[in-house]
Amino acid sequence: MDDQSTPAPIAGELVTETFEYDGGRQVTVYVPLDPPEAVVFAGDGQLISQWGGYLEAADVPPTMIVGAHRTDDSDEMVRIREYSPSFDEERFAAHESFFVEDVRQWVKSRFDIALPAERTAVCGVSASGELSLALGLRHPDIYGAVFSASPGGGYRPPAEMPSPLPRTYLVAGTLEPFFHENATRWADALRDGADVVMTERLGNHGDPFWAAEFPLMVAWAFGP
């Protein structure tokens, strides 16, 4: 996954906190200039928290981004085990508790913000795209929308979908067939019970189209 795309300049504030989870895991929050009307909780937060500038340049409601950083372990499977329930249920459950409970309660206390599900999304890219889908399906009472870019294929739609389902916006690149197939599979599986958008962009895995699509996701979920 490429973290080298240049983020747009940010006028809002970035706040970083270190949690005890996993020996010290950081969370970076983008705080918009105006009081937030929506909030996006994101995996791979070291990347997605930097996308506030793209929101500032777009006609979208003021939106806070809460980005939980990925593991520092160089073994990519450690990240995948945290983000996908298909590989290591115990590791996934520990990260789920950190993400859904600890981070959310800290945001409520630190920023005095606790928005309803219809103004809250969970977001991810690649492996954390799987995380956003898994958490959206497990916690539709918390995350009313899912933003998933180029999701990995370890976590696949369950044979029996839960109800209710969150609104879901998927995007994938035309030059990343494996991830495009995964996103399409999820879009097809969710359409029977959820409001679903599936878009494709010219690009490969990790290309800047992830950040370019982000304001469109926010506008779709939280716009007028």
Side-chain angles (χ1 to χ4, degrees):
M1 186 178 62
D2 181 8
D3 288 358
Q4 303 305 313
S5 58
T6 304
I10 293 175
E13 183 182 8
L14 292 173
V15 177
T16 299
E17 178 80 4
T18 302
F19 289 72
E20 292 183 1
Y21 171 74
D22 195 37
R25 184 68 64 88
Q26 289 188 319
V27 174
T28 297
V29 178
Y30 159 75
V31 184
L33 288 173
D34 295 322
E37 299 175 12
V39 58
V40 177
F41 289 87
D44 283 316
Q46 76 295 332
L47 172 66
I48 297 174
S49 62
Q50 308 302 308
W51 292 352
Y54 294 101
L55 299 184
E56 293 169 359
D59 183 19
V60 299
T63 301
M64 175 180 284
I65 306 171
V66 181
H69 292 211
R70 67 171 176 249
T71 176
D72 289 333
D73 199 302
S74 59
D75 182 356
E76 177 65 7
M77 281 307 300
V78 174
R79 171 172 168 261
I80 291 173
R81 290 188 186 102
E82 277 193 342
Y83 286 173
S84 175
S86 305
F87 295 93
D88 186 333
E89 291 184 6
E90 184 175 349
R91 178 76 175 177
F92 178 86
H95 181 266
E96 178 182 25
S97 177
F98 160 69
F99 191 102
V100 176
E101 298 173 15
D102 299 347
V103 173
R104 199 162 52 91
Q105 289 303 316
W106 172 74
V107 168
K108 180 179 179 180
S109 173
R110 171 66 173 78
F111 300 99
D112 191 27
I113 180 172
L115 294 171
E118 59 265 25
R119 307 300 295 178
T120 303
V122 59
C123 177
V125 297
S126 191
S128 64
E130 296 180 59
L131 175 71
S132 67
L133 289 161
L135 294 184
L137 265 62
R138 288 170 180 242
H139 305 281
D141 57 321
I142 296 173
Y143 310 109
V146 171
F147 305 154
S148 182
S150 308
Y155 175 56
R156 297 193 174 201
E160 186 172 336
M161 284 287 190
S163 181
L165 290 170
R167 296 172 294 152
T168 303
Y169 192 124
L170 295 128
V171 63
T174 55
L175 303 179
E176 48 167 10
F178 172 77
F179 299 95
H180 191 285
E181 179 183 349
N182 296 334
T184 302
R185 180 189 301 114
W186 273 103
D188 292 342
L190 290 165
R191 280 196 180 103
D192 282 344
D195 184 5
V196 176
V197 170
M198 169 68 201
T199 64
E200 63 178 37
R201 291 258 191 166
L202 177 63
N204 211 328
H205 201 62
D207 281 356
F209 74 82
W210 288 347
E213 196 75 21
F214 186 61
L216 302 180
M217 294 171 163
V218 170
W220 172 78
F222 306 129

